[in-house]
Structures are given as C-alpha cells and as structure tokens.
Amino acid sequence: MRIILGAFVISTVFCQAGALYKSFELFKRNQWQVNKVLKSQDQRNAERMDEIEAAIIKQNEVIRHTMSQVDKLTKNVDESNKVIKSSYETTRRLEVQLQESATKLNLAAKEIQALKMKLESSEVKVSLLEDRLSDAEHADFSSQTGPETIENISVKNPVKKDLPNPKKPLKQSPPKPAAKNPIITGKDANSSICIFVHLQFTTKLTFYRTLSAPEETEKADIKNLVAPSKPILVPGVPIEEEENIDLLESSEGFAGLLNQLKDRPKIPPTEAPALLGEYDEKGCAPIAQISETAGGFVHTSWVDGGDDSITSFNAFAYVPLPEFVPSDGKVLMKFNGVASDIQVWQAKSKRISQDGDLWLFTPSDMNVVKQNAGDVWKFNFIATVASSSPKMELSFCKNFDAPEVVETVMLFDSEIYLPQGEEEAEYDEDEILLDYDLSTEDEPDNFSPLGLIQAPRPASSSSFRPPLGAPINSFKQQTNNRRVVSGGRCSQSAGRAIVNAAQISPNFTTSPSEELEIFQYDLNEVLHKSILFYEAQRAGKLPENNRVPWRGDSVLTDGCDIGVDLSGGWFDAGDHVKYTFPAAFTATMLAWSILDYEDAYQAANELENALDQVRWELEWLLAAHLSPNELVVMVGDPKADHGRWGPPETLSLRRPTYVVNQQKPGTEPAAETSAALAAGYLLFKTRDAEFAERCLTSSKQLLEFSDRNRQNYHKSVPEVSEFYKSWSGYEDELCWATAWLYRATGDVAYGRLARHYYDTFNCGKIEESFDWDKKHAGVQLLMAQTTGEDKYRQDVNRHAIHLITRQATSHAGLLWFHKWGSLRIANNWGAFLLGASQLEPKLQRAGEFALKGIEQLGYSLGDQGRSYVVGFGQNPPVRPHHRAASCPGGKSDCGNMLHSSKANPWILYGALVGGPDKNDRYNDKRSDYIMNEVAIDYNACYQYSAAALKHILING
C-alpha cells in the first residue's frame, strides 16, 4: 500500500514538473516575442525621430530664409520711408514757394488795379485835351499865363465804364492811335503848342470776380485746381490744419452766389445715343463702345509670363439693358485673342468656342440686373488674353446659350493662381468691442483709457419670441416699450373706407421777399408740403388734428400675430409695407435736419409739425423694439401687398410680423434704429425728458444687440432680400450708430468706439452713394461736426470735392448714380454738400459745395422747366406711383387706375418723385414706378437740403 502511495506521489510530482517546464518554455517564447516587438518599436521610433529632426532642420532653413526676406523688405520699407519723407519735404518747400508766389500775385494785383484806375482817369484827361487841341487854330493864347499841361486839367464827372463781366476775363484795351501833331497858327507864331501823349498799359492777369466799384481794390482769386488727397503720414512730421479760406467770398456775400445759381442757363434735355443694337438671328444685340457708358474697357493691365504678346488685365463691362430685361439675359464677349483665367464676381463665365475667344457671362443675381432695366449694368472681371493690346466686343443676348468648351487653354508653362475672394467671417473672436457694462460716469472730459474686451461668441438667448401667427395669449413677456395688444383692437377690422374724403388745403407762411429775390422757390412752402407728405404716409389710428382728409385709420391690427401694437409708423412708399431699416434712416435724417437747422423750421412756422412727424415714427420704433435683443424689421407681406392696388384703409391682407433676435440676428436695422433713437433723444431731451430717456435707453440696447450679434439681416429674414437688403454690409451702420450715440451722450466710451470703428471699417472712404444702405458720407459729416477734428474734416472735404469735380452728372447737371430714384440720390448728395459747407471753420471750397447742393434742390423744384415735387411749382407730377392718392374716395379697390392716364384724384403734396433718366427725360406715368415712385427716404435728405438753404438765407 505504501509502495503504491509512494508511486502515486512520485508520478504526481513528475506530472507537475512537466507542466511547470512547459509553462516555463511558453514564457520564454512569449518573452522573446515581446522583446522582438519592443526592439522593432525602438527602431521605428528612432527612424521617426530622425525624420522629425530633418524636418526641424528644414523648417529652420525656411525660417532663416524668411527672416532674410523680412530683413530685405524692412530695408526696402526704410528706404521707401526716406523717399516719402524727402518727397514730403519737397512738397512742403513747393507749397511755401506757392504761398510766396500767391502773396506776390496779390500785391501785383493791387498795383495793377491802382494803375488801371490811373489809366482810366488819364484816358479821360487825354480825351479832354485832344478836344481842346482840335480847336487850337481858332484859340486866342495871348491871355494865357502859361501852357496848360495834363496835370493842370481837372476832370469833372468822369464817364464811368461798364463793370467787367465776371464770367469773362478782362481784356486789354487796344492802345489809341497816336494823333498827328496839329499845325498851330495864331497871332504869335512862336506860341505854338506841341503835346504828344503816349500811354501804354499791358497785363495778363485775369479777373474772375465781380468788381463792386472802380475805386475798390480786390485780392487775386487763386484756386487750387488739384483736388487735395489725404496727407502722407510721415513719422515725426505733424499734419498742419487747413487754412480757413473761402474762395467764393464776394462783396455781395452769399446772396450774390445764389443769384448766380438762379440765373444759370437752363440746358434742354438731349436724346441718348443708341447703346444697344438690333437682335440678330441668335438673339444677340451688339453693344456700342462708348467710354464709361457701354462696351468693355481695360482698366489696368500687366504683361505676365515673360511674353509681351500675352496680357493680363482688369476690365469693366458696361451693359446697356432694355426696358424689359429677359429672365435669361446674358452677355456674350468676344476677345481679340485666346482668353483664359477669367475671374468675375457679379456673373458666371464659361468658354464657348474652341479658339478660346468667345465667352458667355450669366448674371449671378438676375434681380440686380432687372433693377437696372433701361439703364446700364456694370460688372468687373480679370482675364488673360493672347494679345499685346487686349480688346473685347460685347453683345446682350436673350434666348441664347451654348455648351461650355472644357479644353484647357494654357497660355503659360504653369498655372497662375490669383487670389480668390473669401466670404467674410460672420464673427471674429479677436474683434475688439466695447465693454457695454463698463461705467464711464466718473471719467474726466478728456479721453482716458477705455476698457476694451475680447467679445465672446454670442450665447444662446433665453428670451422668448413666439412664432409668427402664435396665439395672442401665448406672448407674455413685455418691456416698457411694448404697446400691449387689447382684445378689442385685434378683434375689429383693420380699417374702414373714407366717407367724406376731401383735398388737402395747404396753409403756409410765405417766405420773405428778400429770400425769394435770392432763391426763387418758397422754402417755407417746400418744408410745409414735405411734412404734409409724411402725414399722408401715416399708418394706424390717425390723430384728431389730421390734415390729410383723404386718409383715415388703417392697419389697426398690425402686430396682433405677436401680441404687440404695431399699428403706427409710416408706410414705406406707394405701397403699405413697413420696413424698419429705411424708416429709421428717414427718421434719423429728419431729426438731424431739425437739430442742425431748427431756426429754419422756426422761421417757416413748421417746427411743431416737423417734431410731430419725427416723433410719430420714433414711437413706432420704440414699439418695434420688443426687448433688449429683439426688433421688428418688417410688417406685411411685400409680394402680396404689391399685388393689390387699393387704399390702406380697406386693406384685408394677412400682415405677418418679422423679428430679428439673438438666434436670428440683424445688425443693419438694429444699428440704424439705434442711430434714429439717439438722434431722437437729442431732439426731445429738452422738450419731453421722459420720452427722450426711453429713446436713449433703447438706442444703447440696440447698439449692444447689433454689435454683439453681427449678421446681415437678410440672412435671418430672407423676405427683405428683394426690397431692402443691405448690399454694403453692416459695418457702416455700426459706425453710424456709435457716432450718433457719441453725439447724443458725449460719453468717452462711445467716442473711442466710434473712432475705432471709423478706422476699422474704413468709414472714411468715398462710397458710390449716400442712402439708407450706405452711410459713409453721413458718418464723415457727423464725426466732423461732433469732434471738429481735422481727420474727419479732411474726409468730408475729399468726399465733397469728388462730388463736385468727378461725380457723373446728367446733361443738365443732376448728380448721377442710378436711374432708380435719381432725384433721391442727387438730393442725398446735395444734403451732404450743404452740411459740409456749414462746417466751422469753413472748408476751403465751402461755397462751391453749397452751390452744388443747391443745384440739386433747384433741379427738383423746377430749374429745368418743370417741378418734380407733387403739388409744387410749374407743371408738377400728377400721376405719382401711390395707391392711396390714386384711388377715388370710398373705393376699396382701384386696380384700373394703375395704367390709367387720369391724374390722381388726391394731390400728394410735397412728395418727391423718382425723377428723370440720365438724359433728363421724364414721363409722368403712374405705372412707371422707376420715375414716379415716392418713398419716405426720398424726401428725407430733400427736406434736409431745404432746411439747410433756409438756414443759410436767414444767417446771410
């Protein structure tokens, strides 16, 4: 038994030993595999480290090469700065020499004037002496005590000569022929007199001013014919302030200048040349080649690729459009060589010929093209053509297309990559914004450091806004601005037809005769009737003192879909939609005109009426500001509204409310409304302090909302894209709003922010227009008024000089930008020019700015033989594109009037119509909304100009 047990134990031990041995062998094999893997990884890591070290070495070489290039560029910049400084010093020396020359010319002018006076007196004396000599043979000289000389002759009542025409330079009078010596006979042959007088006066100095009297001297009129540009900034060299010189000063004062304006010749309209030919069988009409009017023109060019026969260039295409633009309109362009590398931003291009010389351009946005119907559509492009002198022929095509030829035409050995435009980021984390929570109440008047922060991205809003059409009781959140909806208002009809409609009875105070002698149009009447136009545009419950008997209560249920009373405000134009963006701009400009020229409104007895109209819209803007981060931007469906022709009192269409908030921001209308309310605060702070404080509070909130939540509002409300989309972006509105809040508050923080945005957003540039979308000119003038700083005055001066010297005009002198509302833009520029002329101290060419601005107003009032203001002057428009004014009383629909030749039954007093085309041609036709549209923003700057001119006449 023991033997068996022992054998069992021994066998068990051997079995366990065998298992242990196998486990040990397995462990050894695994350890070897692990070591092999680790060794392989170490080898790979070593190779990777070698690669990284090689990359670092290569990168260091690139950095060293870059630093070398930077050093070279730095040296070049230093050399350039030296050249600039040297050029600046040379320019300064030339300016000093020019000033010395001007002084010498002034002295010479005085001497010449004195000599001229002596000459006139001498000529009279010579004439008298010649008369005496002609009778010498019959004279008795025996009683004479001595010969009578020219010095002894006293001239009595000399003949006054006509004053020189200021429009023509004085010409040198030809010297009188020398008289033959007379043969004198008398009692004493020795008593003969022989007098020879020779006077000669020569000058090349040209006089341009009216001489007030022969005995007065006058300074030479020296004009700088070169428009000044921005000064070259050289470190260490200060910028000198401009001299206060008024080149248009005269002995008659500003009245003389206005007389020149009144008496200027009227230029009749001319027929426009044919720009678009007949369509061929392909559906293409050739375009004429007229500089900056029609055709394609190279702007700049450069030789590229080392071959003189290959040229790259930047060009403009001017495409005249028919009155009705086809929806498939395209531009066919034929180059005089193989073309490639075409880059175009307003259109899409494709090559349609094997030779590469034919390209077809399709507009990216056909709505923009259609807005230019009957006018010229311009677009810019870059191209490369196998020609030393690239040229192109353009045609406008309809019902035409061709397949794209995809073969690549390589003009160079390698491709050329030109920079592509990138869409601007909607929000920049590094953008410096105002710390709106920073208090500046204890800051001194001088500028001290402002707390600036890096603004975080907008957080999601917790504010509540119901969807469109939400039940009334679902909207509970309210602010002080909110006019709460009453159940009765929303349950009743939106309006009612006028029963006892009647014509307006204008009642204004006639301007003084001395004003009418200078400017032939009664500016009191102009202001009175312009304000009446705004009263005719009022929506909602009309006040008891309504002066427009053919208008009644309308759109009383506006805002019921979101539980807010939005029934007031202005209708935009001849339709019945309310747009916050242009309405706020209009309120801003009207308030600005009262702030700057209150004496004009006071003298015309229209101040209270003007204040009432501005407040009417400001009250609506306050109601539209639903909460600190919510703003109503439109009320009504534009497309449905434009499909109906009838008065607003019987309007029954659905009128949705469109709102921007933090989830769907809208910077442009929010910033514009902020500007309007800031101007309203200034206007009413001494008249109604409580109302003014409401305006200021909302203005600050809206600026913060628009600034912290930057986005173009048409992206949040696409419905506005076809009507009041901001093409210029929101940057100018931020400049505009901060500038107005700075003027309203004098707050250092807003001043610093206004300056920062002015520079950052380039608001000092010359923009193609000044209107509800583009505020650059207004920002420049406002900053110059508020700060008085030379920087902003120079920008205003530069912009104004551009308008009077380089801006396109119609044949009769109307400042021209676009056929759509041509008088609107001209009067907007006129308002800017008149505002610029009133800056103190006066700009050098202030008088010229004022005259050009007054010309735009005069054109509108009748300088060309007809008025463009309804109910004013000679032959005014009688068929403006306006639904309410064209509908007979009591009718709810009058669609037949749109194309009728009958005059409107109601006179829309004071409304400025769109205006003529570039050839000064106008058609008083109701259906022609381009020439006959009226709108609240059309009258805003027109009224500003009238008030500015009235102010000038009052103050002499």
Side-chain angles (χ1 to χ4, degrees):
M1 190 67 183
R2 292 180 178 176
I3 294 172
I4 294 172
L5 182 61
F8 175 75
V9 170
I10 291 171
S11 62
T12 302
V13 170
F14 274 109
C15 288
Q16 291 293 332
L20 289 173
Y21 178 77
K22 290 180 181 179
S23 299
F24 178 72
E25 288 295 329
L26 181 62
F27 172 75
K28 285 171 60 178
R29 284 196 299 270
N30 291 340
Q31 185 64 35
W32 181 82
Q33 292 289 342
V34 170
N35 290 339
K36 184 177 179 181
V37 171
L38 291 175
K39 185 176 180 181
S40 175
Q41 289 180 349
D42 289 342
Q43 185 176 359
R44 284 197 298 271
N45 289 338
E47 292 174 353
R48 186 173 300 173
M49 288 299 296
D50 292 340
E51 293 174 356
I52 293 173
E53 289 178 358
I56 291 173
I57 293 172
K58 186 175 181 180
Q59 188 65 32
N60 288 336
E61 292 177 355
V62 172
I63 292 173
R64 283 195 296 270
H65 177 71
T66 303
M67 291 301 295
S68 175
Q69 294 296 325
V70 170
D71 291 340
K72 291 180 181 179
L73 290 175
T74 303
K75 291 179 181 178
N76 292 337
V77 171
D78 293 339
E79 293 176 357
S80 298
N81 287 336
K82 291 179 181 179
V83 172
I84 291 172
K85 186 172 183 179
S86 175
S87 300
Y88 179 80
E89 293 172 352
T90 302
T91 302
R92 294 297 302 155
R93 286 196 297 270
L94 290 174
E95 288 178 353
V96 172
Q97 293 175 4
L98 180 60
Q99 291 174 358
E100 293 175 354
S101 300
T103 303
K104 292 179 180 179
L105 283 174
N106 286 331
L107 295 175
K110 293 179 180 179
E111 295 176 359
I112 291 170
Q113 183 68 14
L115 290 173
K116 180 177 178 291
M117 294 170 61
K118 291 181 180 179
L119 174 62
E120 291 176 351
S121 179
S122 300
E123 287 177 345
V124 175
K125 291 181 179 180
V126 170
S127 177
L128 292 175
L129 186 57
E130 287 176 347
D131 291 340
R132 295 190 182 188
L133 289 175
S134 65
D135 297 328
E137 58 184 14
H138 303 291
D140 182 3
F141 294 99
S142 60
S143 63
Q144 296 290 341
T145 58
E148 187 172 17
T149 65
I150 194 169
E151 288 81 4
N152 302 134
I153 299 175
S154 62
V155 180
K156 297 180 180 180
N157 300 325
V159 179
K160 294 184 178 180
K161 295 189 174 183
D162 294 335
L163 296 181
N165 189 339
K167 297 181 179 179
K168 297 181 180 179
L170 293 176
K171 296 183 179 179
Q172 175 188 346
S173 300
K176 292 183 178 181
K180 296 182 179 180
N181 296 337
I183 300 176
I184 307 297
T185 60
K187 295 181 180 179
D188 187 359
N190 294 326
S191 301
S192 64
I193 298 176
C194 180
I195 300 176
F196 176 76
V197 180
H198 177 69
L199 296 174
Q200 185 175 7
F201 179 75
T202 305
T203 177
K204 292 184 178 179
L205 183 64
T206 302
F207 290 83
Y208 289 96
R209 299 184 181 183
T210 302
L211 300 175
S212 57
E215 62 273 9
E216 292 181 1
T217 61
E218 182 177 3
K219 296 182 180 180
D221 186 7
I222 302 173
K223 295 185 179 181
N224 179 12
L225 300 180
V226 180
S229 60
K230 281 193 172 182
I232 300 174
L233 301 178
V234 180
V237 179
I239 299 176
E240 295 184 4
E241 294 185 359
E242 61 186 351
E243 296 181 358
N244 182 20
I245 302 174
D246 189 358
L247 293 185
L248 289 175
E249 181 182 6
S250 70
S251 60
E252 299 180 9
F254 209 85
L257 301 177
L258 295 180
N259 281 331
Q260 295 179 27
L261 175 69
K262 181 179 67 176
D263 298 335
R264 68 190 183 281
K266 307 300 187 294
I267 304 175
T270 57
E271 292 297 325
L275 304 181
L276 197 62
E278 298 294 332
Y279 290 98
D280 58 18
E281 64 279 2
K282 295 181 180 179
C284 294
I287 295 175
Q289 194 78 0
I290 302 176
S291 178
E292 296 189 2
T293 303
F297 300 92
V298 175
H299 182 251
T300 56
S301 63
W302 57 96
V303 176
D304 212 340
D307 188 348
D308 292 342
S309 64
I310 299 176
T311 307
S312 296
F313 59 91
N314 180 11
F316 288 97
Y318 297 85
V319 183
L321 300 172
E323 291 294 337
F324 298 97
V325 179
S327 58
D328 61 346
K330 300 179 180 66
V331 177
L332 180 64
M333 196 173 300
K334 180 179 177 59
F335 297 92
N336 62 336
V338 180
S340 69
D341 302 318
I342 291 183
Q343 296 182 75
V344 59
W345 291 267
Q346 298 98 325
K348 299 177 181 178
S349 63
K350 65 178 180 179
R351 172 176 169 238
I352 61 172
S353 69
Q354 292 289 343
D355 296 335
D357 59 342
L358 282 178
W359 287 73
L360 194 62
F361 293 79
T362 303
S364 301
D365 190 343
M366 204 62 201
N367 290 324
V368 175
V369 179
K370 289 183 177 181
Q371 288 177 2
N372 288 272
D375 202 353
V376 176
W377 174 55
K378 182 178 74 172
F379 65 89
N380 173 236
F381 66 94
I382 294 175
T384 300
V385 172
S387 172
S388 58
S389 179
K391 296 179 181 179
M392 60 218 79
E393 298 176 1
L394 276 64
S395 298
F396 180 77
C397 303
K398 61 180 181 180
N399 301 322
F400 173 78
D401 200 358
E404 181 175 9
V405 178
V406 297
E407 285 82 0
T408 302
V409 178
M410 297 299 297
L411 297 183
F412 309 120
D413 293 336
S414 58
E415 294 186 14
I416 297 178
Y417 295 93
L418 297 176
Q420 300 289 333
E422 296 181 359
E423 186 175 354
E424 182 182 356
E426 294 183 2
Y427 201 88
D428 186 355
E429 290 189 47
D430 297 328
E431 179 61 62
I432 298 178
L433 302 177
L434 176 67
D435 184 353
Y436 293 95
D437 299 326
L438 180 65
S439 173
T440 58
E441 295 178 357
D442 299 329
E443 290 189 5
D445 292 337
N446 59 334
F447 293 112
S448 58
L450 172 67
L452 296 171
I453 63 171
Q454 285 189 339
R457 286 185 175 274
S460 59
S461 173
S462 59
S463 60
F464 169 77
R465 184 183 78 82
L468 295 179
I472 295 172
N473 58 8
S474 67
F475 194 79
K476 301 296 184 183
Q477 188 178 7
Q478 297 178 5
T479 68
N480 293 333
N481 291 336
R482 202 180 298 278
R483 296 187 294 193
V484 183
V485 169
S486 63
R489 181 181 73 91
C490 292
S491 61
Q492 296 178 0
S493 62
R496 59 189 62 86
I498 302 295
V499 178
N500 298 317
Q503 200 67 264
I504 300 174
S505 299
N507 182 18
F508 59 91
T509 303
T510 304
S511 294
S513 58
E514 53 268 25
E515 290 184 14
L516 294 174
E517 290 175 359
I518 298 171
F519 189 70
Q520 64 269 40
Y521 307 108
D522 192 329
L523 291 172
N524 288 4
E525 181 183 0
V526 171
L527 292 173
H528 173 77
K529 291 183 175 179
S530 182
I531 294 170
L532 281 177
F533 164 69
Y534 284 106
E535 293 187 18
Q537 292 299 108
R538 289 186 299 192
K541 179 72 175 176
L542 298 186
E544 294 182 359
N545 63 350
N546 173 39
R547 297 189 294 174
V548 186
W550 49 269
R551 280 296 327 282
D553 299 342
S554 61
V555 295
L556 297 176
T557 57
D558 276 3
C560 284
D561 56 339
I562 62 171
V564 180
D565 185 355
L566 296 172
S567 59
W570 291 321
F571 294 125
D572 173 61
D575 56 3
H576 304 125
V577 183
K578 300 174 188 176
Y579 300 95
T580 302
F581 193 18
F585 170 75
T586 301
T588 305
M589 292 306 303
L590 292 176
W592 197 1
S593 73
I594 302 173
L595 289 169
D596 284 1
Y597 311 117
E598 182 176 333
D599 57 347
Y601 286 96
Q602 192 74 54
N605 291 324
E606 293 293 339
L607 180 59
E608 293 304 317
N609 291 329
L611 290 171
D612 286 347
Q613 279 316 297
V614 174
R615 180 159 184 165
W616 182 270
E617 183 61 24
L618 293 178
E619 291 277 14
W620 188 86
L621 293 175
L622 287 172
H625 184 208
L626 306 178
S627 72
N629 295 316
E630 290 180 300
L631 177 69
V632 174
V633 296
M634 184 170 68
V635 177
D637 182 344
K639 293 185 177 180
D641 185 275
H642 290 179
R644 171 189 179 269
W645 194 270
E649 290 79 10
T650 58
L651 185 65
S652 59
L653 297 173
R654 176 177 173 270
R655 292 175 61 82
T657 304
Y658 298 87
V659 180
V660 293
N661 52 30
Q662 285 182 303
Q663 286 77 35
K664 292 187 175 182
T667 298
E668 302 96 327
E672 183 62 63
T673 305
S674 172
L677 293 172
Y681 165 77
L682 283 172
L683 198 58
F684 289 98
K685 68 177 181 179
T686 59
R687 296 180 170 93
D688 187 338
E690 182 180 354
F691 175 72
E693 284 301 323
R694 288 174 58 207
C695 290
L696 183 60
T697 299
S698 283
S699 176
K700 292 179 177 179
Q701 291 176 350
L702 284 166
L703 174 60
E704 181 176 359
F705 165 58
S706 64
D707 204 354
R708 289 192 182 278
N709 305 273
R710 296 184 189 174
Q711 179 169 290
N712 301 120
Y713 87 116
H714 69 271
K715 296 181 179 178
S716 299
V717 185
E719 290 80 1
V720 304
S721 297
E722 296 182 24
F723 305 96
Y724 283 102
K725 171 184 175 180
S726 177
W727 299 94
S728 65
Y730 52 68
E731 291 82 0
D732 54 324
E733 276 75 35
L734 289 175
C735 290
W736 186 238
T738 52
W740 270 109
L741 268 170
Y742 181 38
R743 176 169 174 173
T745 65
D747 196 319
V748 176
Y750 288 118
R752 293 291 296 275
L753 190 63
R755 289 175 169 84
H756 172 66
Y757 283 169
Y758 188 95
D759 296 334
T760 302
F761 298 142
N762 194 21
C763 285
K765 69 178 180 179
I766 296 176
E767 187 52 89
E768 62 183 1
S769 176
F770 172 45
D771 52 36
W772 56 265
D773 183 25
K774 302 177 180 68
K775 312 299 189 317
H776 300 78
V779 172
Q780 295 160 24
L781 180 58
L782 182 61
M783 289 297 287
Q785 287 181 341
T786 305
T787 68
E789 295 175 9
D790 189 60
K791 169 183 177 179
Y792 306 110
R793 287 169 53 84
Q794 287 182 20
D795 284 344
V796 170
N797 189 62
R798 183 168 54 90
H799 205 145
I801 288 176
H802 171 84
L803 289 176
I804 67 173
T805 60
R806 301 189 63 186
Q807 183 61 44
T809 64
S810 72
H811 183 68
L814 184 71
L815 290 174
W816 186 265
F817 167 62
H818 195 281
K819 70 170 185 177
W820 200 296
S822 58
L823 287 173
R824 164 185 60 121
I825 300 298
N827 281 283
N828 290 4
W829 275 327
F832 169 75
L833 288 167
L834 282 163
S837 75
Q838 297 305 297
L839 289 177
E840 293 292 346
K842 287 288 190 288
L843 297 173
Q844 185 175 358
R845 304 177 73 172
E848 295 176 76
F849 301 158
L851 285 176
K852 182 60 73 172
I854 296 168
E855 283 180 356
Q856 311 312 303
L857 182 62
Y859 190 111
S860 305
L861 297 175
D863 280 356
Q864 298 304 307
R866 72 166 305 146
S867 167
Y868 293 98
V869 178
V870 180
F872 180 92
Q874 179 182 356
N875 190 23
V878 296
R879 303 173 190 85
H881 185 85
H882 192 272
R883 288 162 173 79
S886 68
C887 288
K891 289 194 174 183
S892 60
D893 185 275
C894 54
N896 61 311
M897 288 296 293
L898 175 59
H899 298 285
S900 172
S901 60
K902 295 180 180 179
N904 286 0
W906 311 118
I907 301 176
L908 189 65
Y909 281 105
L912 178 72
V913 298
D917 62 15
K918 196 172 184 179
N919 295 287
D920 305 292
R921 297 173 302 186
Y922 172 73
N923 185 14
D924 186 6
K925 186 178 180 181
R926 189 178 298 108
S927 59
D928 186 349
Y929 48 82
I930 295 177
M931 288 187 173
N932 293 286
E933 179 75 278
V934 296
I936 54 176
D937 68 295
Y938 283 26
N939 269 64
C941 291
Y942 156 79
Q943 185 170 315
Y944 180 104
S945 296
L949 179 53
K950 178 80 176 178
H951 167 83
I952 292 171
L953 296 178
I954 292 172
N955 295 278

